[in-house]
Amino acid sequence: MSTQNKDIRDLHDEVDAPPGALVPVERAALDPGQEEKNKEVDSLVILPVKNSVLFPHNVVPVTPTAQWGHDALERAARKGTPLGIVALRDNAQEPIRFEDLYSMGTEAKIIKVIRFPDGTAGAVVQGLRRFRVASLSQAPGSPIMAVVEFPNEVTPEESLELSALQRGLKQLIQRAVSLSPNIPNEANIFIENVSDAQYLADLVVPYLSIDTSEKQALLETENVVERLRRVQLYLTREIEILEMSQRIQSEIKGEVGKQQRRFYVKEQLKLLQKELGDLDGKTTSSAAQEPQELKERVEKSAMPTEARTAAVREIDRMAVMQSGSPEYTVSHSYVNWLLDIPWGVYTQSKIDLAAARKLLDSEHHGLEKVKKRVLEFLAVYALKGHLKGPILLLVGPPGVGKTSLGKSVAKALGRKFHRIALGGVRDESEIRGHRRTYIGSMPGKIADALKKAGSMDPVILLDEVDKISADVRGDPSSALLEVLDSEQNHTFTDHYLNVPLDLSRVLFIGTANTLATLQGPLRDRMEVVQLDSYTLEEKVSIAQKHLLPQVSDEHGLLNRLEFSLSDGLLADVIRGYTHEAGVRQLRRELAALARGLVHEYVETTGAAAVSSENLNSQSRKISRRPSKKRALTRKDVDKILGPVRFIETLKRKSLPLGVSTGLAYTPVGGDVLHIESVRIDSGKGHLTVTGQLGDVMKESVHTALALVKSKAALCGVELQSVQRSDIHIHFPAGAVKKDGPSAGVAVFAALVGLFSGRALPSDLAMTGEISLGGDVLAVGGIKEKLLAAHRYGVKKVIVPHDNLRDLDELPITVRKSLVIQGVKRVEEVLEAAFGKKTSTGVRKSGRISRS
């Protein structure tokens, strides 16, 4: 039979014991008649139990399920006869078979019979002694009867081993009682007073968490010492399990306690913050919710893992801070900065080379090198799908359109644009950001550019890179090395954000007026694109196509008065009122003309009408035709702009003895320079040089004089005459600083003419560096120098042979109007300048000589 759980609980209640526990009692005393029956055969009613083994001297509740079982209980209780409690094997099923029963059980007496409302009955029984089943029988509808044998249980003799086993077992029981919640503390006191070894072994077994088969094996072990050993082994294992369980429970409880304590502290902090807010007349409900809102925004953002971890860590710190504390403000600003970075946002998608070319041509005249490079980048991007952003450096004089070109490139690429002004920046933190060690620290200009652009692939213009300074706070140029290195900038780390920023897809464009002040490593990281000064024709074209419409719009002349200048008059304005490589001053002069016309227009038409119409002037398109036209004349220009400010150097009909025409490069373009030399006879051979010259230029003059002396016969001069004369060489425009080696050829020709008595042609200009061996070396700025020669009106120009490769950059009109002769030696210079021989390499009508 199997016991029923509900009935078992009820029976436990009857004996005042928790479910599943066995109640220890005093050792049961056998009836005198039973004492005599030891080792005798007897007949018992067998009551099978499942998942339980009854040991002598222990009390258990049992509940039979079959009707004959109830009858057997009632009959045994009525007559006061004992029962045989035998455990069922684990695989036993209803109906019970004899082979499902173990061969040894426990004789038990009924302590109490309990009847349940459903008509069934149960009983509380106490084990008396072991028995072996000799045979089994069962009549239909009757309980199982068994012929049993009671083994003769002999109390073992006292020995050290037995005493040690008893004492060790009692100590283990004390430990088990302290660990297990299922063993009552009273059991510890009761077991401590037990001295009988058999009783002690049987009393402990019910508290062991072992299988039914293992308990049955203990029941069948007749040797008391062996039984004590096995009980001690099982109890030791039970204690180890209890200790491990207690340790696990302690860890869980500690973790749960930590979380509860954290929650409790947070709630207390919220109450304190609320109390402080009420005292200050402020509300803290929104501040308390702000960390959670920030965390939700972080989870929804496209931050990389490292940035997300940093943001969550800072938000957790904010949650335990007072909202009005400075530290809270620092953390709040930091998290907002991380959220403001446009992680994963890219704007460039479709590539249209034709549209990009059209846009660049419409907004900028010339600048073919830059346009070609941008279109090449677009073509590679369209073919490959991705490309690390190139780093371009636009180098050229002021006003040639470097900054505006960056905006046009961004528009052509379909990207956002941001300009960073680096002129005068002297703190490294401006680039890398400030460290978050004090209140008010901010990220650097690079991180700020990404935030303002709203994408991770903008066009960032680093304006005036050559104007960066350095002091004790660091060198910003060195900080730019990582930013402008395409192999490193994918993990650029701002000191404030302290997380990597991917700059590999940013197109950086730097601008500079000169490369001289740039650090070598910084210049090496950028692709230099040279922007030359505009020619007169280019300036006229830019003014007609771009500047005049813009100036008209800015001064409110659109749809009212269209003013125009002829190309010739515009060229006169450029020559007489501007002296620059770009068109910035030209724009100001055109704006002055527009202001003069506006003044005249308002006086003749009335200011009130103009003021009312100005409200909508900005919304009208440039393409709408104005109501009036006005073609400016030379008289109008003189009236508005005043007298001519720059008088262009006119070509002389002839040059004095000892004077040559040199060509110079300036930041505003090329220029013509007359080099004057005079001799003072009866001198001591002293050389004087004036005109604010740099060291390189002075050395070039000394080289030219030494070359004349060393090649006096070739030059047609007397060496003694040169040695006895004091020489003075002057470079006009003494207030302007000059330097460079390119005047060497002109100085050499002037000295040869001075001592040989031959004047140089006025329509001949020259440039080039010379060496003591008589070689003519290449120089820079050839395009600007030849443009200046063209404006001056010379017909023939002598240049170093190695500079002939630079002539492709010249406009065709300039090349056709000049005879350009390339020379390698000073002998060729003498032939070209003084005509001693006919140079077979010279070809006129704009063709180039390569003698």
Side-chain angles (χ1 to χ4, degrees):
M1 299 179 186
S2 60
T3 56
Q4 298 177 350
N5 293 335
K6 176 181 178 301
D7 298 339
I8 292 295
R9 287 194 298 269
D10 294 337
L11 292 176
H12 270 289
D13 293 340
E14 290 293 333
V15 295
D16 194 21
L22 300 177
V23 181
V25 297
E26 294 291 341
R27 181 174 183 179
L30 298 178
D31 294 337
Q34 290 174 332
E35 290 283 358
E36 296 174 357
K37 292 180 181 178
N38 279 342
K39 265 298 182 182
E40 296 181 359
V41 178
D42 199 353
S43 178
L44 289 176
V45 174
I46 300 301
L47 194 63
V49 294
K50 191 173 181 63
N51 300 326
S52 178
V53 178
L54 176 64
F55 282 80
H57 324 301
N58 287 279
V59 177
V60 296
V62 294
T63 303
T65 56
Q67 183 60 42
W68 58 263
H70 297 296
D71 295 341
L73 279 177
E74 291 181 358
R75 186 166 56 250
R78 187 169 53 252
K79 293 182 179 182
T81 58
L83 292 172
I85 306 298
V86 181
L88 288 168
R89 300 183 187 276
D90 294 337
N91 56 356
Q93 297 180 356
E94 296 287 348
I96 298 173
R97 300 172 300 174
F98 291 163
E99 55 267 25
D100 293 336
L101 296 172
Y102 282 105
S103 61
M104 180 170 280
T106 303
E107 184 185 25
K109 71 175 181 179
I110 299 174
I111 298 177
K112 186 175 183 179
V113 176
I114 303 172
R115 289 177 177 81
F116 301 113
D118 58 356
T120 60
V124 178
V125 299
Q126 180 184 9
L128 299 176
R129 55 181 175 172
R130 291 173 171 80
F131 66 81
R132 288 188 182 279
V133 177
S135 62
L136 295 170
S137 63
Q138 183 179 21
S142 300
I144 297 175
M145 299 298 295
V147 176
V148 299
E149 296 178 353
F150 296 98
N152 189 10
E153 297 182 359
V154 180
T155 303
E157 297 181 0
E158 292 291 334
S159 64
L160 291 177
E161 182 182 10
L162 184 64
S163 300
L165 287 173
Q166 285 183 278
R167 184 176 300 176
L169 189 60
K170 290 181 179 181
Q171 292 176 353
L172 291 175
I173 291 172
Q174 291 177 356
R175 178 61 178 161
V177 169
S178 65
L179 293 174
S180 175
N182 297 325
I183 305 177
N185 294 327
E186 294 80 2
N188 188 17
I189 301 174
F190 180 80
I191 292 174
E192 184 67 27
N193 296 322
V194 174
S195 59
D196 186 88
Q198 293 185 10
Y199 186 27
L200 181 63
D202 293 340
L203 194 61
V204 174
V205 173
Y207 297 106
L208 300 177
S209 299
I210 57 178
D211 297 336
T212 302
S213 60
E214 293 176 323
K215 288 184 178 180
Q216 182 66 31
L218 286 174
L219 182 67
E220 295 176 0
T221 303
E222 296 183 6
N223 189 307
V224 178
V225 175
E226 179 64 23
R227 196 189 313 163
L228 285 173
R229 286 198 187 100
R230 297 181 66 176
V231 169
Q232 191 170 7
L233 177 64
Y234 289 137
L235 189 57
T236 301
R237 187 179 66 180
E238 184 74 16
I239 290 174
E240 290 177 356
I241 295 174
L242 290 173
E243 287 177 345
M244 183 175 294
S245 176
Q246 188 180 53
R247 185 166 61 251
I248 294 174
Q249 291 294 330
S250 177
E251 291 176 358
I252 295 175
K253 183 177 179 181
E255 186 64 28
V256 173
K258 182 179 179 181
Q259 294 178 359
Q260 291 177 342
R261 188 163 58 252
R262 184 181 181 86
F263 174 78
Y264 177 71
V265 171
K266 284 185 177 181
E267 291 300 318
Q268 282 188 322
L269 185 59
K270 289 180 181 178
L271 291 175
L272 291 174
Q273 289 176 344
K274 184 176 183 300
E275 184 69 20
L276 290 173
D278 293 340
L279 292 175
D280 296 337
K282 302 176 182 179
T283 176
T284 59
S285 59
S286 60
Q289 297 175 357
E290 195 166 19
Q292 184 61 32
E293 295 174 357
L294 289 175
K295 183 172 289 187
E296 292 175 359
R297 290 177 58 192
V298 168
E299 295 299 329
K300 294 178 182 178
S301 69
M303 288 184 187
T305 303
E306 190 169 349
R308 190 186 305 274
T309 302
V312 172
R313 181 175 62 248
E314 208 66 26
I315 292 173
D316 291 341
R317 292 183 65 242
M318 291 172 57
V320 297
M321 295 180 188
Q322 186 177 348
S323 60
S325 66
E327 292 82 3
Y328 184 93
T329 304
V330 171
S331 298
H332 185 273
S333 300
Y334 175 73
V335 175
N336 275 321
W337 263 103
L338 287 178
L339 289 169
D340 289 340
I341 298 296
W343 308 101
V345 179
Y346 300 97
T347 55
Q348 182 172 339
S349 55
K350 186 179 179 181
I351 302 297
D352 189 344
L353 290 179
R357 177 73 191 191
K358 184 178 180 181
L359 176 66
L360 293 174
D361 288 340
S362 64
E363 296 190 354
H364 292 274
H365 183 83
L367 306 178
E368 294 301 325
K369 285 185 181 179
V370 185
K371 294 177 183 177
K372 180 174 178 290
R373 183 64 185 89
V374 173
L375 293 175
E376 288 173 351
F377 167 75
L378 285 176
V380 175
Y381 187 92
L383 184 63
K384 191 176 179 181
H386 63 88
L387 184 67
K388 291 183 179 179
I391 301 168
L392 304 179
L393 177 61
L394 308 181
V395 181
V400 295
K402 298 185 295 295
T403 303
S404 59
L405 183 62
K407 297 179 181 179
S408 300
V409 169
K411 193 183 298 183
L413 295 174
R415 298 189 182 190
K416 300 295 183 64
F417 175 81
H418 184 80
R419 172 180 169 270
I420 299 178
L422 296 178
V425 172
R426 61 182 62 226
D427 190 352
E428 178 193 0
S429 299
E430 294 286 337
I431 306 298
R432 283 191 169 275
H434 303 81
R435 299 188 184 276
R436 289 189 301 125
T437 55
Y438 59 91
I439 298 174
S441 57
M442 294 292 289
K445 291 181 177 292
I446 303 299
D448 184 60
L450 295 178
K451 171 188 173 182
K452 292 180 178 178
S455 71
M456 297 299 287
D457 63 342
V459 175
I460 296 182
L461 183 74
L462 303 175
D463 209 7
E464 308 295 350
V465 179
D466 57 328
K467 309 298 191 303
I468 296 177
S469 304
D471 60 7
V472 295
R473 289 170 290 185
D475 185 2
S477 297
S478 299
L480 281 175
L481 294 179
E482 181 184 1
V483 176
L484 300 180
D485 192 338
S486 58
E487 299 298 327
Q488 301 179 25
N489 60 10
H490 64 285
T491 56
F492 171 75
T493 301
D494 185 273
H495 285 164
Y496 179 85
L497 300 178
N498 201 29
V499 294
L501 295 175
D502 185 5
L503 304 180
S504 61
R505 299 178 67 174
V506 177
L507 174 57
F508 288 100
I509 299 179
T511 68
N513 296 129
T514 177
L515 295 174
T517 57
L518 280 180
Q519 290 185 5
L522 182 61
R523 185 170 56 210
D524 181 65
R525 281 165 167 76
M526 295 184 284
E527 181 179 342
V528 178
V529 179
Q530 196 76 38
L531 275 70
D532 300 321
S533 58
Y534 292 121
T535 64
L536 180 61
E537 291 77 8
E538 288 174 337
K539 291 182 180 180
V540 172
S541 178
I542 292 172
Q544 295 286 18
K545 293 180 180 179
H546 303 285
L547 299 184
L548 283 176
Q550 292 174 7
V551 167
S552 297
D553 184 27
E554 291 173 358
H555 291 80
L557 291 175
L558 284 180
N559 304 310
R560 296 180 181 86
L561 178 65
E562 179 184 10
F563 75 99
S564 61
L565 290 84
S566 64
D567 290 349
L569 182 56
L570 199 53
D572 290 340
V573 172
I574 294 171
R575 285 192 293 260
Y577 296 92
T578 67
H579 186 65
E580 59 179 348
V583 292
R584 193 169 290 159
Q585 181 62 31
L586 175 59
R587 182 190 180 92
R588 287 192 283 267
E589 298 303 326
L590 294 178
L593 291 175
R595 290 194 298 272
L597 292 176
V598 168
H599 185 204
E600 179 183 332
Y601 182 84
V602 171
E603 284 185 342
T604 56
T605 60
V610 174
S611 298
S612 62
E613 292 178 4
N614 271 339
L615 296 174
N616 299 322
S617 63
Q618 297 298 326
S619 62
R620 296 178 181 175
K621 296 182 179 180
I622 296 178
S623 59
R624 294 185 58 184
R625 297 185 60 81
S627 58
K628 295 182 180 180
K629 294 183 179 181
R630 172 76 178 274
L632 296 183
T633 63
R634 181 70 201 190
K635 183 178 179 181
D636 296 326
V637 171
D638 292 339
K639 178 182 177 182
I640 297 174
L641 299 182
V644 173
R645 289 190 287 273
F646 300 99
I647 300 176
E648 191 173 18
T649 304
L650 299 178
K651 184 175 72 67
R652 302 179 184 180
K653 293 182 179 180
S654 62
L655 293 179
L657 197 64
V659 177
S660 64
T661 305
L663 299 175
Y665 174 81
T666 68
V668 297
D671 202 358
V672 175
L673 186 65
H674 288 111
I675 301 171
E676 303 171 343
S677 63
V678 295
R679 56 182 289 189
I680 303 172
D681 296 331
S682 301
K684 297 182 180 180
H686 294 307
L687 174 63
T688 303
V689 183
T690 56
Q692 283 239 50
L693 307 184
D695 292 337
V696 176
M697 204 165 190
K698 291 178 181 179
E699 292 172 358
S700 181
V701 172
H702 284 280
T703 302
L705 179 58
L707 188 58
V708 170
K709 292 179 180 179
S710 65
K711 295 183 180 295
L714 177 64
C715 298
V717 300
E718 294 181 2
L719 179 58
Q720 293 181 353
S721 176
V722 177
Q723 293 175 340
R724 290 196 303 264
S725 301
D726 291 339
I727 304 171
H728 187 165
I729 299 177
H730 176 67
F731 292 80
V736 180
K737 293 183 179 181
K738 312 168 190 68
D739 203 358
S742 62
V745 169
V747 174
F748 173 76
L751 291 175
V752 171
L754 177 64
F755 286 99
S756 66
R758 292 172 292 176
L760 290 165
S762 61
D763 57 355
L764 173 67
M766 58 192 74
T767 184
E769 180 184 356
I770 59 173
S771 68
L772 285 175
D775 295 324
V776 180
L777 308 178
V779 294
I782 289 295
K783 177 185 176 182
E784 287 76 11
K785 292 176 180 179
L786 293 178
L787 290 175
H790 173 66
R791 290 196 307 268
Y792 184 69
V794 301
K795 301 299 183 183
K796 183 178 180 179
V797 182
I798 298 174
V799 299
H801 185 274
D802 291 339
N803 283 120
L804 293 179
R805 61 178 181 270
D806 300 325
L807 301 184
D808 293 337
E809 301 178 7
L810 279 176
I812 297 178
T813 55
V814 176
R815 279 187 284 176
K816 287 184 177 180
S817 63
L818 294 176
V819 176
I820 305 170
Q821 182 172 347
V823 295
K824 296 181 179 179
R825 298 279 302 172
V826 292
E827 291 85 349
E828 301 173 37
V829 174
L830 296 175
E831 293 176 7
F834 299 104
K836 292 179 65 176
K837 297 180 181 179
T838 301
S839 179
T840 57
V842 178
R843 291 177 290 177
K844 298 183 179 180
S845 300
R847 289 169 290 183
I848 300 171
S849 168
R850 301 180 184 272
S851 59

